[in-house]
Amino acid sequence: MVATPLQSPYSRSSNDEKSSRSMTRECGEEKGGNGLIQMRNVVKTFKNAAGEFTVLKGIDLTIQRGEFVAIVGKSGSGKSTLLNMITGIDHPTGGQVVIGGTDIYKMTESKRSLWRGKNLGIVFQFFQLLPMLTLLENAMLPMDYVGLYDFDERPKRAMALLELVGLQRQAHKLPLAVSTGQQQAAAIARALATDPPLLVADEPTGNLDSRAAEAIIDLFEELVENGKTIVMVTHDPSLTARTSRTVTISDGILINEVVANALPLLTHPQMLAITRKLERRVYQAGETIIHHDEHVEYFFMIESGEVDVVLQGKRRDDALLARLGTGDFFGEIELVRGGKSIANVRAAAEGPVELLALARADFNQMLDESPLTQEAISNVVQERLKEHKSADRRKNWKLFG
């Protein structure tokens, strides 16, 4: 009846806990509107001789301070355009982008450029270092551009940043005289030149070997630990495993993060189709969601809050089978096997729970269209039934033993 994302029903890995924390931020704190980055109904349409093409279709996204966020999606999904909206490099056709409390598209182009130099560090896939300048001089450029720090202090600060990324011995070399991994490290030092709170990286490891890529992600993790916020576009699943949160875009629309984490074997178009069919429901503390012995018509995923799965004995003593949190799901046993609910499910006493509900017909269609998901959920059902029988035997022994 209940499971974490296609794994053992009640055991959580560290990755599950990471997903739970990130989705709680997305679904809870976002509503308070206190994020470092707030995108509201952002639309981007391009026009050419063939007509209009909408790349971003009403993006709503909040990123909190101190998050390390990966943006993933197929080629042409809109992820690079999304990144350009955050950096202010491109203009949205509609909507609002607020970063650090500043509506960046209410500025003039020149003011936005200065704002970007002071508040945003950008790391490009192809490094974009000026080839005629040394690594030290490249790292100084943002300080020179925005007039930050005293003139004599800039070389010292640039050297300190190169030391941070392990390049102090290469400081006076030209970019072509060092490896590609070292060029990317220099680009990160340059991005940190004005001590911006936000770093944006577009495929930062795309041109690096695995060892160099590992070093860059290690550096990103260290920067996040020290308070930076990093937003990174990537195609590499091994990198998303190390971020605190993954945002998936498909056809210009953000896939619900709970869906992406709970049902990872779906394709992106399938995730998007599920996202569009979900119903949001809110249950207050202690309110029953599913009664024992009733027909279940929905597959539920927890967007925020917690629920208790309870077995009720003949003496009406309740035995807590499990407490489920953000990213967990329930209802799959009754939908897969038929029959009535084998337990009570209710919102935890500590507060309300927000659920995403998928109707039976849509759930069955999802399984038909994704054999891998069908197999995984069937395995979860079998494991869950074993746990339920074991718990039921323990409860009967306590009641009548």
Side-chain angles (χ1 to χ4, degrees):
M1 180 172 188
V2 192
T4 53
L6 297 185
Q7 298 179 7
S8 176
Y10 300 135
S11 62
R12 290 193 178 205
S13 68
S14 60
N15 283 338
D16 294 331
E17 293 170 356
K18 177 193 77 172
S19 298
S20 177
R21 289 193 301 270
S22 67
M23 286 185 290
T24 298
R25 283 193 294 269
E26 170 66 10
C27 301
E29 292 180 7
E30 174 180 343
K31 293 176 181 178
N34 296 319
L36 175 64
I37 301 172
Q38 298 175 67
M39 306 183 74
R40 300 165 181 158
N41 196 30
V42 173
V43 176
K44 179 61 180 177
T45 300
F46 291 100
K47 297 180 180 180
N48 55 31
E52 293 187 354
F53 179 66
T54 302
V55 179
L56 301 179
K57 304 172 181 177
I59 298 294
D60 289 303
L61 175 66
T62 295
I63 294 174
Q64 304 295 331
R65 295 180 186 275
E67 286 195 284
F68 185 6
V69 179
I71 299 176
V72 301
K74 305 296 184 183
S75 296
S77 61
K79 57 187 183 297
S80 292
T81 304
L82 176 60
L83 212 61
N84 288 342
M85 297 297 107
I86 295 173
T87 60
I89 291 175
D90 204 351
H91 290 255
T93 306
Q96 186 181 39
V97 179
V98 178
I99 300 180
T102 300
D103 189 332
I104 65 173
Y105 291 103
K106 285 188 175 180
M107 302 178 185
T108 63
E109 189 69 44
S110 60
K111 287 184 178 180
R112 184 163 56 252
S113 182
L114 286 173
W115 169 87
R116 183 164 49 239
K118 293 180 179 180
N119 296 279
L120 190 68
I122 304 177
V123 181
F124 300 95
Q125 180 178 357
F126 296 101
F127 323 136
Q128 304 296 338
L129 298 171
L130 293 183
M132 73 292 295
L133 299 182
T134 65
L135 300 187
L136 182 67
E137 291 167 334
N138 269 283
M140 289 170 55
L141 275 178
M143 295 181 259
D144 294 337
Y145 177 70
V146 299
L148 198 61
Y149 306 111
D150 291 337
F151 184 82
D152 293 336
E153 185 182 352
R154 294 172 193 173
K156 297 177 184 178
R157 176 168 175 78
M159 182 61 79
L161 291 170
L162 290 175
E163 185 176 355
L164 175 68
V165 300
L167 292 178
Q168 61 271 29
R169 294 183 180 179
Q170 285 76 34
H172 299 290
K173 293 181 180 180
L174 296 175
L176 292 179
V178 300
S179 70
T180 54
Q182 289 172 325
Q183 289 182 57
Q184 190 61 293
I188 294 172
R190 180 187 59 192
L192 293 169
T194 61
D195 195 23
L198 173 63
L199 265 65
V200 175
D202 191 357
E203 295 284 0
T205 62
N207 290 308
L208 307 181
D209 59 36
S210 58
R211 183 176 179 180
E214 180 84 6
I216 295 302
I217 298 304
D218 287 343
L219 177 57
F220 279 174
E221 288 182 330
E222 183 179 347
L223 291 171
V224 170
E225 288 177 2
N226 289 321
K228 299 296 183 186
T229 302
I230 298 180
V231 181
M232 174 182 68
V233 164
T234 183
H235 280 101
D236 190 342
S238 67
L239 301 186
T240 62
R242 297 179 61 179
T243 61
S244 60
R245 177 179 168 196
T246 299
V247 173
T248 307
I249 186 170
S250 178
D251 193 28
I253 300 172
L254 295 186
I255 292 170
N256 184 283
E257 292 179 47
V258 178
V259 172
N261 282 279
L263 303 169
L265 300 179
L266 296 176
T267 65
H268 288 177
Q270 288 170 337
M271 290 179 184
L272 183 57
I274 295 299
T275 295
R276 288 168 166 163
K277 294 175 180 178
L278 294 172
E279 300 176 19
R280 276 187 167 80
R281 298 185 179 184
V282 178
Y283 292 83
Q284 299 305 314
E287 185 177 358
T288 299
I289 302 164
I290 298 176
H291 292 273
H292 174 256
D293 208 30
E294 79 173 10
H295 288 286
V296 177
E297 295 298 327
Y298 288 89
F299 173 71
F300 293 98
M301 292 173 280
I302 303 174
E303 190 169 36
S304 67
E306 293 180 315
V307 304
D308 291 335
V309 183
V310 177
L311 294 178
Q312 193 174 63
K314 293 182 178 179
R315 298 179 182 178
R316 295 192 176 278
D317 298 56
D318 287 346
L320 180 65
L321 178 60
R323 170 161 287 193
L324 307 176
T326 302
D328 295 334
F329 59 77
F330 57 94
E332 77 288 344
I333 285 184
E334 293 79 6
L335 294 178
V336 169
R337 296 175 68 250
K340 298 179 179 180
S341 172
I342 58 178
N344 289 327
V345 182
R346 63 193 181 204
E350 288 73 12
V353 61
E354 298 184 27
L355 302 178
L356 302 174
L358 185 67
R360 175 188 290 270
D362 295 324
F363 176 80
N364 290 336
Q365 182 180 357
M366 175 186 74
L367 297 189
D368 290 341
E369 294 177 353
S370 178
L372 289 175
T373 300
Q374 183 177 44
E375 180 181 2
I377 285 185
S378 295
N379 291 337
V380 168
V381 167
Q382 294 305 314
E383 289 298 317
R384 181 64 205 99
L385 287 172
K386 291 179 183 177
E387 291 193 24
H388 176 267
K389 290 180 180 178
S390 176
D392 205 23
R393 284 196 297 270
R394 292 196 302 270
K395 179 170 179 58
N396 287 336
W397 182 84
K398 289 179 181 178
L399 288 174
F400 305 114

